[in-house]
Amino acid sequence: MDIEEYKQRTARGEYIGGDGEVRAFMHRMAAQAQRVTAEINSGYHTPEELRALFSELTGQAVDESFSLFPPVYSDFGRNITVGRNVFINSGCCFQDQGGIVLGDGVLVGHQVVFATLDHDLDPARRGGMFPAPIRVGKNVWIGAHATILKGVTIGDNAVVAAGAVVTKDVPANTVVGGVPARVIKTIGRL
């Protein structure tokens, strides 16, 4: 299995069993992500070094406008895509096996969690997982300690309040908050 085949399978939401080829591939990728995130999180790195390391983690070049404050955590790495002018604050966790896309101008607050997998509810199959991507539109602000769950799309210009747990799609130009998150207000023109 290679990364493209893996991404195609998870984009279709294919069930990942508790063992087998897909699971073995995920473990190999996790080891690689752990190595790179350990490097990111150890000592001081210049912004240029952080961009190079994040590019290594994701397997694709990030724009020179990308900014990251470590530490950062990822348990896969190769299924994260970031646009231009993206800022990721410290302590964020990317469970990216199912895919995470951050659009241009996204601001991610401290200790945000992106979770793209759910385990099977059946106790006999609890080791199995269901992936689904998280898609974050342009100019989105995600507040500190928010959690974004699998399959969620956040529309352009939206704001996710600090501490929110986002379980379903967020319309563009809205503010959501709470557990589970709900629309608090619409963002008007300034």
Side-chain angles (χ1 to χ4, degrees), residues 87-138:
F87 171 70
I88 299 171
N89 219 321
S90 62
C92 292
C93 296
F94 292 85
Q95 181 200 51
D96 62 290
Q97 290 91 338
I100 298 169
V101 177
L102 303 180
D104 293 345
V106 169
L107 303 173
V108 181
H110 290 88
Q111 298 180 341
V112 170
V113 174
F114 296 91
T116 65
L117 295 174
D118 273 346
H119 284 278
D120 200 316
L121 291 177
D122 179 353
R125 295 173 20 130
R126 187 73 36 92
M129 296 173 281
F130 298 95
I134 294 171
R135 294 179 179 91
V136 179
K138 294 179 180 177

